[in-house]
Amino acid sequence: MASNKRLATIVDPTNNFPLECVIRRVFRSSRDEECMLLCPVDTPVQILKSTNVYGWSAVNDEEVESILPAAAYALAKIHMHLVYSGFCYTARGGFCYSEDDIFDFHTGNLLLFFLLIHVCYISDDGQDVDGLPTEGVEITCFHMDGAHYMIYTPSNPLLFVAVKDQNGQLQIADDDLLEDPAIISAIDEETEFNALVEEEDALLESLIMGER
């Protein structure tokens, strides 16, 4: 559990819903603005619909609202709770997966968009992918009115940049600020840190398996 000092809440101005996040890094922009690299506390989720042509496609906003009760029930059956968070839907509860559970959306002809706006998604090679995750993990599936739906989450951390305004309130960084060298440097450092953590975990797992 993260310390309260490492948590921050940012409010979606379109619906006033909060999104609770873990503060991954605090730094200053080249314009001396206080910035934070944030990661949602709960698991970001997207609902996809099975199609005969493309495999999976993103569900539009109108359809999402109509299937949310069914999605919430599907998550509840695996002891997870659907949260109406700001900027995106999230799921609260324990969720574990292995590398074998990750699939590549590009190879599956998946048409998708993620509900987070102005997201800095950190991929395996450290490049910004304009908020579109290329790999994800299926959390659960459900059926409704003859259609098949999947609830998935990106396999890598979903990070975005927030900046404090003149009133001390956190706001999502605009596109121009995302090109700031200080922000790019912070994202690169976080990418390198995540890669080191993954390498250590893999090494520890191999040592444990070797002892067996």
Side-chain angles (χ1 to χ4, degrees), residues 35-135:
C35 301
M36 295 181 181
L37 196 58
L38 304 177
C39 179
V41 171
D42 297 317
T43 304
V45 296
Q46 168 78 4
I47 302 175
L48 305 174
K49 184 177 183 179
S50 177
T51 65
N52 293 329
V53 178
Y54 297 108
W56 295 98
S57 65
V59 180
N60 61 49
D61 291 343
E62 293 181 359
E63 186 176 0
V64 164
E65 292 184 3
S66 67
I67 64 176
L68 282 179
Y73 180 66
L75 288 170
K77 289 194 293 185
I78 58 172
H79 308 291
M80 298 189 75
H81 173 65
L82 180 66
V83 181
Y84 290 59
S85 304
F87 303 104
C88 67
Y89 296 110
T90 58
R92 183 169 299 163
F95 174 64
C96 299
Y97 62 90
S98 67
E99 290 188 3
D100 295 335
D101 299 318
I102 299 174
F103 59 94
D104 190 332
F105 293 139
H106 287 325
T107 58
N109 293 323
L110 176 65
L111 300 180
L112 65 89
F113 64 93
F114 209 74
L115 298 180
L116 274 172
I117 59 174
H118 295 302
V119 170
C120 287
Y121 176 74
I122 295 180
S123 64
D124 288 338
D125 58 3
Q127 298 299 312
D128 182 65
V129 196
D130 296 331
L132 296 181
T134 59
E135 294 182 336

Side-chain angles (χ1 to χ4, degrees), residues 161-182:
V161 178
V163 59
K164 281 191 176 181
D165 61 18
Q166 296 178 348
N167 298 320
Q169 300 297 315
L170 287 175
Q171 305 290 337
I172 295 293
D174 58 33
D175 292 337
D176 291 337
L177 188 57
L178 292 179
E179 298 177 359
D180 188 303

